[in-house]
């Protein structure tokens, strides 16, 4: 039997009742506190009986951007199917099933309080003040756990977006990131460098947490950017990876990494892939401590660069290695070389994939409007949302095919 | 009598014989070594008998951009007048006179080997392999010494550009920055965060020194950016300012400053003045150590923000305080408040000025073509350079007026 959790306090206000458009040049600011002066949200009715959402994998840190930079990767991630469920007590959520790659289904709890998707879903239900509707959630893991690809963040992001959209999408991007952060803080630490890009897409800079300020860094539309993601069969020793971080940093290393992070941001905004790659490879603080803990990583990085990648580093806390290139075919060759290097230098089996930059972030991929509401009436009553929904549905067709292949 | 210095070794090659256009989105790379495989430069003839150049003041560090970010400030800087002088031994340079604000003329050496302008001029003469022409240089200081406004860098930049242009402008921007760096390293340390923006204009990120890699960060043309520069009558204790720097930095401060520097770069490129100001004010590593050494600085910063500045910090190593705004008139009000705060909190007299971002960098402001060469023949033989020269001359008219006022 699924474990439920009652989401609604008597009157839980939203952190930010306005919903800014998702603009690529917008800075998102959201105060973490809940000032009493804010208008309390009226509980919204569900617009759909079922929604299915997708949230992409993410690469955090990006070398010198440790703990404040991340980006989303297209075509690989987690799905959440969320339905209005009369068998679930109003104001509560239940996780009905978890399935997907590897042993994630076995390892993940169905208790929403102990599940990334569940925690984020509850946080959004609180923000929306949901008291009258019960929900059940099905989680489909496309990402392996502990791979360094933002697995927990993808689940949280997909769940947050699903809950928000089933009730008409009233919350802002900042709110959704805050809900995701609530989840991340319980499973992997209070950092948004996975969950923010998982929700927003593209490259995101976490400028501050209190208040939460996120800067979206648009990579030029006309330019191609591919990530070569090589995941070895190796469980990164999380405690060791964290313990490996230095507590003190020399001034010269600080200035170096700082300038490389700044250069990385400039390269992203200017569409300079060579510059981006150089910055990605340049970390002198975290990567040199963590790479030796992943067998073969140093050789893998060398192999990627020799094979023509613009740059290479550890994705998140590893063990996945990430390299960047501007050509999908070349990306495959780079991937082959990196897989070989993992075997030669680290005696580890590994698999490679080449994925585009995800520029969209978490989104609906399909939905069923409530019984009494036809497609026409939905369109008439809420043109903007209907168009958005149609776009997402169209997008989902190709995405679902890609994910199934 | 002026002290001369023989510039030319037997065959001193240029570091880079190609001269790329100064493009706002270009990354400049230049190897500091002089590989023997490079073609040696043929000694160029002077195109002018006299040139006058200007290089702007600069604000280095910009808060979290310590040691790798700087920008140029319009309408205040140093002038160099350079002439072909038959009384100076071929291949040598002489400093004929130094005049300008404060006691700079008394404090600065006329020995080119000990003068910022002289050292940079010699470096450029070396790069151009000048052996047959003697030069004399007159330096007009528009910037006070030790103010934190890049006084030495402005002299070096003006001299480097003057020597390059009198011989037809064959060197690249990177070469000129390298020449300026040679000067800076002898007077204030091997850092390019003043001299690079003094030469290139706008915001410049120093990505690395070996090889030298500079990233120009164009601030959107359509946006206004004003600097309020408030210079107190106070000599910053250079040794103390340097000694105040921490040698070790905590991980959390590193991540904070790194993300702020990255946000600053994003704000510049996206033309987000509010974001730029916030980042400027955000340094947790250098400013907190240095500000207490400048009487009143903390109060001045507070006063600037209260008066509506987007942000405020120490310019370079101080003692000048710099604030940013988008409105000249508001800038004047902010300046008044900052001057008052220097008196109230630090018992220091101070003067304020409001200046635009300089987007051009060091340039010729006037020139006299060689006697036998008419304007027409110069135009015919070298259209591009003639047009550039005319543009600069036109520019100089307004600039000279502005500087004289």
């Amino acid at each position: 039997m699924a474990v439920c959790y009652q989401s609604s306090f008597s009157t839980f206000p939203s952190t930010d009742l306005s919903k800014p458009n998702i603009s690529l040049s917008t800075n998102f600011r959201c105060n973490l506190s809940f000032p009493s002066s804010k208008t309390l949200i009226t509980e919204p009715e569900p617009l759909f009986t079922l929604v299915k959402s997708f949230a992409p994998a993410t690469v955090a840190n990006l070398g010198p951007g440790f703990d404040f930079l991340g980006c989303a990767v297209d075509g690989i991630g987690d799905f959440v199917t969320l339905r209005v469920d009369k068998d679930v007590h109003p104001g509560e959520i239940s996780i009905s099933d978890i399935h997907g790659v590897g042993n994630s289904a076995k390892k993940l709890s169905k208790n929403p309080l102990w599940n990334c998707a569940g925690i984020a879903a509850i946080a959004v239900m609180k923000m929306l003040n949901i008291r009258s509707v019960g929900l059940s959630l099905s989680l489909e893991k496309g990402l392996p756990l502990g791979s360094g690809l933002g697995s927990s963040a993808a689940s949280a992001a997909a769940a947050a977006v699903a809950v928000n959209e089933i009730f008409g999408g009233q919350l802002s991007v900042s709110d959704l990131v805050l809900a995701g952060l609530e989840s991340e803080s319980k499973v992997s630490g209070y950092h948004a460098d996975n969950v923010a890009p998982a929700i927003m897409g593209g490259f995101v800079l976490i400028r501050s947490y209190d208040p939460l300020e996120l800067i979206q860094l648009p990579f030029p539309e006309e330019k191609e950017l591919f990530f070569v993601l090589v995941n070895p069969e190796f469980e990164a020793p999380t405690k060791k990876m964290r313990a490996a971080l230095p507590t003190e940093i020399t001034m010269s290393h600080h200035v170096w990494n700082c300038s490389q992070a700044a250069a990385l941001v400039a390269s992203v905004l200017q569409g300079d892939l060579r510059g981006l790659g150089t910055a990605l490879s340049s970390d002198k603080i975290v990567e040199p401590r963590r790479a030796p803990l992943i067998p073969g990583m140093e050789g893998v990085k060398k192999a990627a660069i020799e094979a023509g990648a613009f740059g290479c580093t550890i994705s998140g806390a590893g063990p996945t290695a990430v390299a960047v290139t501007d050509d999908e075919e070349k990306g495959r060759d780079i991937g082959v070389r990196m897989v070989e290097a993992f075997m030669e230098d680290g005696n580890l089996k590994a698999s490679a994939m080449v994925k585009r930059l995800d520029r969209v972030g978490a989104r609906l991929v399909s939905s069923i409007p409530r019984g009494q509401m036809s497609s026409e009436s939905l369109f008439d009553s809420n043109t903007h949302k209907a168009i958005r929904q149609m776009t997402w549905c169209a997008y989902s067709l190709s995405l679902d095919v890609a994910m199934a292949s």
Side-chain angles (χ1 to χ4, degrees), chain A:
Chain A
M1 185 193 144
V3 182
C4 293
Y5 178 75
Q6 185 168 350
S7 76
S8 56
F9 296 159
S10 55
T11 49
F12 200 97
S14 162
T15 52
D16 184 355
L17 300 183
S18 64
K19 183 175 166 66
N21 288 327
I22 302 178
S23 156
L24 287 178
S25 61
T26 302
N27 290 12
F28 301 91
R29 292 162 206 232
C30 183
N31 205 309
L32 284 170
S33 60
F34 301 91
S36 58
S37 62
K38 281 205 171 182
T39 313
L40 301 185
I41 200 166
T42 309
E43 184 185 3
E45 286 200 19
L47 288 190
F48 304 97
T49 54
L50 178 148
V51 295
K52 186 176 182 182
S53 64
F54 168 78
T58 44
V59 175
N61 296 348
L62 295 163
F66 178 73
D67 259 9
F68 66 90
L69 272 179
C71 68
V73 175
D74 196 26
I76 175 171
D78 289 358
F79 290 89
V80 158
T81 304
L82 188 76
R83 69 191 77 222
V84 174
D85 192 338
K86 288 179 180 166
D87 293 337
V88 176
H89 193 276
E92 296 185 2
I93 189 164
S94 139
I95 295 180
S96 58
D97 66 296
I98 302 170
H99 55 282
V101 295
N103 56 359
S104 46
K106 281 184 193 163
K107 282 200 166 181
L108 295 176
S109 170
K110 280 190 184 172
N111 182 336
L113 287 173
W114 296 100
N115 179 288
C116 316
I119 299 166
I122 291 165
V124 174
M125 290 175 79
K126 280 183 182 177
M127 289 175 180
L128 289 171
N129 195 23
I130 301 301
R131 290 169 296 176
S132 314
V133 177
L135 299 171
S136 68
L137 183 155
S138 164
L139 175 61
E140 189 184 334
K141 292 293 301 174
L143 293 174
L145 307 181
S147 57
L149 288 170
S151 173
S152 61
S155 296
V161 164
V163 175
N164 187 42
E165 291 297 331
I166 209 168
F167 290 105
Q170 293 192 19
L171 296 181
S172 70
V173 165
S174 295
D175 288 330
L176 299 179
V177 174
L178 282 173
L181 253 174
E182 205 163 318
S183 170
E184 287 287 85
S185 67
K186 285 182 186 158
V187 295
S188 63
Y190 197 78
H191 55 80
D193 46 350
N194 284 114
V195 81
I199 286 172
M200 296 159 70
F203 289 86
V204 180
L205 191 165
I206 321 302
R207 190 210 191 107
S208 78
Y209 284 94
D210 189 12
L212 181 65
E213 285 192 43
L214 311 167
I215 301 177
Q216 192 138 27
L217 306 169
F219 186 77
E221 288 288 342
E222 69 279 11
K223 298 235 177 174
E224 285 280 28
L225 170 52
F226 292 94
F227 297 91
V228 186
L229 301 163
V230 181
N231 182 229
E233 289 181 3
F234 175 74
E235 198 164 330
T238 313
K239 273 192 182 171
K240 272 193 181 175
M241 297 305 266
R242 188 62 33 197
L245 297 176
T247 49
E248 298 276 317
I249 292 144
T250 64
M251 188 56 139
S252 63
H253 276 181
H254 163 68
V255 171
W256 172 261
N257 260 44
C258 223
S259 64
Q260 299 311 306
L264 198 150
V265 166
S267 301
V268 168
L269 291 172
Q270 296 180 333
D272 172 12
L273 251 178
R274 191 171 295 279
L276 194 161
T278 306
L280 196 77
S281 296
S282 70
D283 175 20
K284 286 188 180 179
I285 294 175
V286 176
E287 191 194 298
R289 303 285 197 105
R290 283 182 166 176
L293 301 177
I294 304 168
M297 180 59 81
E298 288 167 43
V300 169
K301 179 173 180 171
K302 203 169 159 236
I305 305 290
E306 282 173 2
F310 290 124
C312 179
T313 189
I314 303 167
S315 179
T320 297
V322 56
V324 290
T325 179
D326 57 356
D327 182 86
E328 192 166 14
E329 189 58 37
K330 195 199 271 180
R332 286 196 200 98
D333 294 341
I334 294 166
V336 169
R337 295 281 299 277
M338 291 169 74
V339 167
E340 287 170 357
F342 257 129
M343 180 50 74
E344 284 163 18
D345 292 20
N347 199 29
L348 292 179
K349 283 186 190 171
S351 57
M353 51 190 168
V354 182
K355 300 288 179 186
R356 268 196 179 80
L357 173 70
D358 177 293
R359 299 172 190 261
V360 181
R363 61 268 198 179
L364 284 201
V365 292
S366 61
S367 58
I368 301 173
R370 285 180 79 184
Q372 69 276 27
M373 200 181 282
S374 70
S375 297
E376 283 76 13
S377 65
L378 177 66
F379 195 88
D380 289 343
S381 67
N382 203 331
T383 310
H384 173 70
K385 286 199 185 97
I387 289 170
R388 193 169 49 163
Q389 177 200 349
M390 287 165 71
T391 313
W392 275 327
C393 289
Y395 191 98
S396 76
L397 289 174
S398 59
L399 191 81
D400 279 342
V401 170
M403 294 301 295
S405 65

